[in-house]
Amino acid sequence: MLIQLTYASRTARILGPADIKDILGASQRNNARADITGALCLNHGIFLQQLEGDRAAVNALYHRLLKDTRHRDTAVLDFGEIPHRRFTSWSMGLLTSLDTNRQLFLKYSSSADFDPYSMSTSTLRSFFDEVMQNVRWLE
Ligand code: FAD
């Protein structure tokens, strides 16, 4: 069964480029093996990640993520069965608030901050639809 899980978390400390490289490297390596696809957004200390794949594989990854000390306050925002994948060719794409992507984060910010914890599931889905269509991917 193909499912999609979306969660948010906060960075537990200031993460540098080496930390992000480690996270992305492990993600791309492990996700390709587990047939998991998705996108990871990082904006002002908040991660927002969407994972898609087999239900058992995504659950196993989520349990591993919960133990990762680089982030905290992990919260599932959306979970459900999907008919097909959104991120067919990304084992894990990274989106930060740099340059062209900043407008996208601003569009989905109710105040000065991008706060996925307070977004409805339909807003989250629209956000990821736009991510697919508009962003400049950094891999
Ligand atoms: P390794 O290659 O053994 O480790 C990779 C690097 O991460 C090493 O430098 C190691 O020191 C460091 N590291 C590993 N585990 C931890 C930890 N618990 N706390 C602190 N540092 C650690 N993994 C995926 O497989 N797929 C994902 O989509 C994914 N997304 C992530 C999103 C976020 C926001 C974060 C914070 C982490 C994510 N991870 C993801 C990483 C995941 O939490 C595990 O660290 C990773 O899956 C372990 O895989 P590995 O054993 O191959 O890593």
Side-chain angles (χ1 to χ4, degrees), residues 22-63:
D22 265 2
I23 290 171
L24 209 57
S27 301
Q28 290 171 343
R29 192 176 57 247
N30 296 331
N31 294 359
R33 210 178 300 138
D35 200 19
I36 291 173
T37 47
L40 175 64
C41 305
L42 175 59
N43 188 51
H44 293 297
I46 295 186
F47 285 114
L48 174 64
Q49 188 172 31
Q50 189 161 80
L51 301 165
E52 43 190 32
D54 174 70
R55 182 167 60 182
V58 172
N59 264 296
L61 171 56
Y62 188 67
H63 281 278

